[in-house]
Amino acid sequence: MARVVVVRDLVKEYPGRRALDGITFEVEEGEIFGLIGPNGAGKTTTLRILATIIKPTSGYAEICGKDVIREGMEVRKLISYLPEEAGAYSNLSGLEYLRFMASFYYDDDESIRGAVESAIAISGLGERLKEKTSNYSKGMRRRLLLARTLMVRPKLAILDEPTSGLDVTHAYHLRRVIKSYSKDHGTTVLISSHNMLEVEYLCDRVALIDQGRIIETGSPELLKSKYSAANLEDTFMKVVGFAQGS
Amino acid sequence: MPKGLRLLVIKEVKDLLRDPKILIGMILFPALILPLMGAAINISTGSLVEKSSGPLTVYVLDEDGGTVAQRILGFLQDNNVEIRLVRGSYEEAIKNVAGGGVLMVLPEGLSQKIESGARGEIMIYYGFKEFSILESLNAQRMSGLLGGFENILVRGLISENVPGANPDSILNPLLVNEKSVIKGVAQPISPYVLTNIVRMQGLMGPLVIMIVLILAMQVAATSIAIEKEAKTLETLLTIPVSRLNILFGKLVGSVTIALLATIANVFAFTYYVSSITSQVTSSIGNLDLASVGLIPPPEGYFLLGLTLFGALVSALALALTLGTLAQDVRGAQSIIGIVIVPIFLPTIFLMMGDMQTLPFSIQMVLYAIPFTYPVLASQSLITGNYAPILAGLVYMAFFTLFTLYLAAKVFTTEKVMTGRFSFKRRRL
Ligand SMILES: Nc1ncnc2c1ncn2[C@@H]1O[C@H](COP(=O)(O)OP(=O)(O)OP(=O)(O)O)[C@@H](O)[C@H]1O
Ligand SMILES: [Mg+2]
């Protein structure tokens, strides 16, 4: 299997703060890979580097063999990124927003229409897509944005806490969509989350990240048995606890 | 134009045109306000002229009753003055003009004094109530009439004492014929009328230019901050569009709007100028103002448009550059609040006086500010002094390129996401 994401020794320093302290991991094609860790662990920073928004202080990262630092434009053609906090243009309707975003990826009307059609299905928002996005609830907006992220059939979907702050019904919908989309299209997904239940349900493999460092990597089952924990939450507490103790 | 840029520009322009603040503030306001002001000036001066040429009421306390008093009253009546004779003491008489109006007191012995070759004195009391222009016009009219009457008296005295003489050549032995020389050609127009027109043009143009500039800068500065605040920028930075295209999309979008505003402005300004110059035309007879150089030539308007556009583009580039660093809309607006100062500077300095009369150091500062050139251009419409304007266009081009370079620098690095404009140093 091809490696879609390769991250080596990523370091990111902000003035007076080291957000990433040597992150290394790989994501295989078709995999759903989860980054889990407490607030401020460096999840968003890692994803932003991969999404070409910020540059690492040192280290290396590539997506499908393209260097995220030097081949930003090439990388942007392969990925689709759902930021942790994202909005849609408030004076566009959901449909207009989807069409606008799709037209950056495709040249012909037919492909654009195809992408919008698939987004309509993914979002499950139906008629409400005709309303201005300023009318949407948080959950609806998140569904629209996830649909936008997936509609362009990216090689790699980068989802930063796709369900945080949503109620059970919206979160449930989003999780199911992500899982089935990845399975149907063989899409590689890199996801960050606080929700261990979600991670256990979605992810083939996870990396536990704390204070800018990766502490453990493996499948949820492997990690659970390694730390003889009942669930991922226990595992997480044990691992993070060890890390802080050491 | 690359596809990504085209899409972004279309979205930007649509967004901006949907914003009522921009439509009204940048396009409708200037397009309406100048013609309205021209019309207001015409209407108010027109109605003033009408009122002040109507019958003038004058209260008269005639204590003289002699022939000269009779002649004054007759003269005034012939000149559309309504005489109201009052009696009693002068203290009582003066009450008549407490609410405005004119009281003339002809003291006892006036006729006798004048007829015997001595000077006679009359008193005029102008009542003020509203301190309006009309009250002062009435006063001017009254003293004008009395001057006219004095003239008649003088002429009578001359022909009485110097038989056979022409009173005119005694009264005005020196005939002063004033002409204004414009571009080397003498024109039959008084220097006062001329400077008034030039000042009025130099005043209004810059004011409107300033308003449009400020609004356009706010548009540009907030355009990126809006995306930050609405959390749409982060997504935009990860779609397959180059950073420069995003930046230029913002710039071209706000330039397009600014261009519309400029066109609206130049048209409104042209209309305004023609409406005030037409007023002057009627007041000085059938003088061909265009040939005098008072109606600006088309190339003058072209240059004005060009400098306006240049100033807008450089202002927008500057605003965009600074706005890129702002965290949110409020931040962007406060940055613009600071940058607005150099926009006011040229307008204030040049409204009051000429570039040449300013100290050298201030001249240098003004020439360094791109917004000086539209002001100069609107003055050069009449003076025809285009050289500094052309130099200014070249300067503005460099200024714009440089600021855009800075904006691109900021925008192509992660500063656009992580940078913040803070006035206090961050504590480490
Ligand atoms: N622009 C910035 N300037 C300075 N420090 C920053 C900046 N962005 C992030 N940081 C710091 O970097 C560290 C990692 O932040 P990051 O957002 O990656 O954490 P996270 O794992 O996504 O946390 P959360 O679960 O709360 O989203 C934090 O300590 C944060 O304060
Ligand atoms: Mg985060």
Side-chain angles (χ1 to χ4, degrees):
Chain A
M1 271 225 239
R3 289 174 307 180
V4 171
V5 181
V6 176
V7 172
R8 294 257 174 277
D9 296 319
L10 273 194
V11 172
K12 176 68 188 177
E13 276 170 354
Y14 288 114
R17 186 180 294 125
R18 185 169 266 227
L20 296 186
D21 190 15
I23 296 268
T24 299
F25 67 91
E26 287 174 7
V27 182
E28 307 280 329
E29 190 173 356
E31 217 179 12
I32 300 185
F33 188 91
L35 278 181
I36 54 180
N39 291 124
K43 304 181 292 295
T44 298
T45 305
T46 309
L47 298 186
R48 278 185 172 175
I49 291 172
L50 290 173
T52 74
I53 293 167
I54 58 177
K55 292 196 164 56
T57 310
S58 67
Y60 172 81
E62 64 170 48
I63 286 164
C64 299
K66 308 279 183 205
D67 186 335
V68 293
I69 299 155
R70 260 172 279 128
E71 298 168 280
M73 193 59 189
E74 292 306 308
V75 169
R76 285 196 280 274
K77 287 177 188 158
L78 301 168
I79 62 163
S80 193
Y81 174 59
L82 176 63
E84 184 173 354
E85 283 178 66
Y89 295 102
S90 54
N91 54 21
L92 296 184
S93 73
L95 277 178
E96 285 169 329
Y97 174 71
L98 292 170
R99 203 170 300 124
F100 172 66
M101 296 304 281
S103 46
F104 287 99
Y105 292 83
Y106 304 105
D107 286 325
D108 58 311
D109 274 353
E110 205 171 314
S111 309
I112 294 175
R113 216 172 305 127
V116 174
E117 289 299 324
S118 71
I120 293 171
I122 294 169
S123 74
L125 289 173
E127 284 296 299
R128 299 214 56 186
L129 281 172
K130 290 183 182 145
E131 287 176 35
K132 292 229 155 141
T133 64
S134 50
N135 292 348
Y136 288 14
S137 72
K138 192 175 173 186
M140 287 171 67
R141 191 166 305 127
R142 209 65 184 154
R143 280 162 75 155
L144 175 72
L145 293 174
L146 179 71
R148 183 227 88 217
T149 312
L150 297 179
M151 74 177 173
V152 296
R153 309 238 164 143
K155 276 271 173 219
L156 172 72
I158 303 175
L159 312 174
D160 197 353
E161 300 190 25
T163 63
S164 84
L166 302 191
D167 70 25
V168 182
T169 57
H170 284 302
Y172 183 77
H173 173 90
L174 289 188
R175 270 175 223 136
R176 277 201 13 214
V177 162
I178 294 166
K179 186 147 187 165
S180 65
Y181 188 92
S182 167
K183 207 156 152 213
D184 295 350
H185 298 90
T187 307
T188 315
V189 178
L190 178 57
I191 189 169
S192 87
S193 183
H194 286 136
N195 186 327
M196 299 304 147
L197 205 77
E198 168 172 298
V199 172
E200 244 182 301
Y201 167 76
L202 274 178
C203 297
D204 302 308
R205 282 193 313 135
V206 296
L208 301 189
I209 176 170
D210 187 34
Q211 295 180 15
R213 263 181 252 232
I214 290 196
I215 300 159
E216 273 293 358
T217 314
S219 71
E221 278 64 41
L222 192 104
L223 293 184
K224 276 189 286 187
S225 65
K226 181 171 173 186
Y227 290 90
S228 49
N231 54 42
L232 210 53
E233 202 160 64
D234 279 344
T235 317
F236 182 80
M237 284 315 292
K238 284 184 178 170
V239 175
V240 172
F242 290 147
Q244 275 164 350
S246 61
Chain B
M1 208 190 316
K3 187 190 75 170
L5 178 59
R6 199 188 67 232
L7 289 170
L8 289 167
V9 169
I10 292 171
K11 179 198 151 278
E12 205 65 24
V13 172
K14 264 197 202 157
D15 257 15
L16 291 173
L17 285 179
R18 272 186 208 162
D19 187 343
K21 190 180 82 192
I22 286 163
L23 201 62
I24 294 170
M26 284 183 61
I27 297 166
L28 287 180
F29 169 75
L32 291 178
I33 198 75
L34 277 178
L36 273 181
M37 285 183 70
I41 290 174
N42 281 342
I43 291 170
S44 59
T45 51
S47 69
L48 210 59
V49 168
E50 211 171 87
K51 269 226 177 107
S52 60
S53 58
L56 175 69
T57 308
V58 175
Y59 297 92
V60 177
L61 179 60
D62 185 1
E63 291 168 339
D64 177 55
T67 48
V68 173
Q70 289 304 316
R71 281 172 68 196
I72 290 184
L73 297 184
F75 177 81
L76 290 179
Q77 268 162 340
D78 290 347
N79 283 285
N80 205 12
V81 173
E82 215 182 287
I83 305 288
R84 296 229 177 115
L85 285 172
V86 294
R87 285 176 208 295
S89 71
Y90 132 82
E91 280 83 7
E92 279 171 67
I94 211 164
K95 291 204 178 88
N96 286 305
V97 295
V102 183
L103 167 70
M104 179 168 70
V105 180
L106 305 171
E108 208 183 322
L110 174 72
S111 300
Q112 199 207 336
K113 272 188 193 158
I114 288 177
E115 275 156 8
S116 65
R119 297 183 75 184
E121 189 187 12
I122 64 175
M123 275 84 75
I124 313 284
Y125 298 88
Y126 298 108
F128 272 92
K129 188 183 169 201
E130 289 159 10
F131 301 92
S132 65
I133 296 179
L134 186 62
E135 285 171 345
S136 89
L137 281 179
N138 283 342
Q140 271 180 37
R141 193 169 153 200
M142 188 63 190
S143 36
L145 285 173
L146 290 172
F149 181 71
E150 192 182 27
N151 199 323
I152 293 176
L153 282 183
V154 169
R155 281 163 193 274
L157 284 171
I158 289 173
S159 34
E160 235 172 71
N161 295 313
V162 194
N166 179 358
D168 281 333
S169 47
I170 292 181
L171 281 172
N172 287 99
L174 202 59
L175 227 126
V176 180
N177 191 343
E178 287 180 320
K179 285 198 166 69
S180 302
V181 180
I182 302 162
K183 292 176 192 158
V185 182
Q187 302 289 355
I189 178 171
S190 123
Y192 311 107
V193 176
L194 186 67
T195 40
N196 274 342
I197 305 171
V198 176
R199 279 275 152 253
M200 266 218 247
Q201 290 208 357
L203 202 76
M204 285 319 300
L207 273 180
V208 174
I209 290 165
M210 212 160 67
I211 293 167
V212 173
L213 266 183
I214 292 168
L215 280 163
M217 285 179 81
Q218 256 165 5
V219 169
T222 51
S223 67
I224 287 170
I226 286 172
E227 299 238 13
K228 283 191 193 178
E229 211 168 273
K231 307 280 180 213
T232 50
L233 183 64
E234 204 174 342
T235 308
L236 205 56
L237 294 178
T238 63
I239 64 175
V241 177
S242 80
R243 298 285 162 90
L244 280 183
N245 277 345
I246 298 176
L247 186 70
F248 281 120
K250 297 284 178 199
L251 186 72
V252 175
S254 35
V255 166
T256 308
I257 299 298
L259 194 61
L260 287 176
T262 311
I263 293 170
N265 263 283
V266 171
F267 270 108
F269 189 61
T270 318
Y271 182 83
Y272 170 76
V273 169
S274 68
S275 78
I276 54 172
T277 42
S278 74
Q279 227 195 323
V280 176
T281 321
S282 57
S283 75
I284 56 175
N286 47 3
L287 171 71
D288 183 1
L289 282 171
S291 71
V292 174
L294 282 185
I295 287 180
E299 68 266 21
Y301 280 117
F302 179 71
L303 268 188
L304 174 65
L306 217 55
T307 50
L308 254 180
F309 184 63
L312 277 169
V313 174
S314 27
L316 294 181
L318 184 68
L320 200 60
T321 310
L322 296 172
T324 304
L325 293 169
Q327 283 299 100
D328 50 26
V329 173
R330 280 182 67 117
Q333 278 167 344
S334 54
I335 293 170
I336 291 312
I338 296 167
V339 184
I340 278 171
V341 177
I343 296 186
F344 277 101
L345 271 184
T347 315
I348 290 167
F349 274 113
L350 296 175
M351 247 161 52
M352 301 303 167
D354 304 329
M355 202 58 150
Q356 279 71 32
T357 58
L358 292 169
F360 182 72
S361 54
I362 293 182
Q363 279 193 34
M364 284 299 104
V365 172
L366 289 186
Y367 278 126
I369 299 173
F371 323 116
T372 300
Y373 297 97
V375 184
L376 288 180
S378 87
Q379 291 180 344
S380 77
L381 281 183
I382 284 198
T383 62
N385 180 17
Y386 295 143
I389 314 298
L390 294 172
L393 283 171
V394 176
Y395 171 70
M396 284 191 286
F398 277 109
F399 182 92
T400 307
L401 285 179
F402 180 69
T403 38
L404 276 183
Y405 171 78
L406 287 184
K409 260 258 178 277
V410 173
F411 213 80
T412 47
T413 62
E414 65 180 56
K415 284 213 179 56
V416 66
M417 277 308 294
T418 61
R420 48 197 72 176
F421 225 98
S422 82
F423 297 102
K424 47 180 196 258
R425 286 244 317 263
R426 201 172 326 168
R427 242 175 296 159
L428 303 181

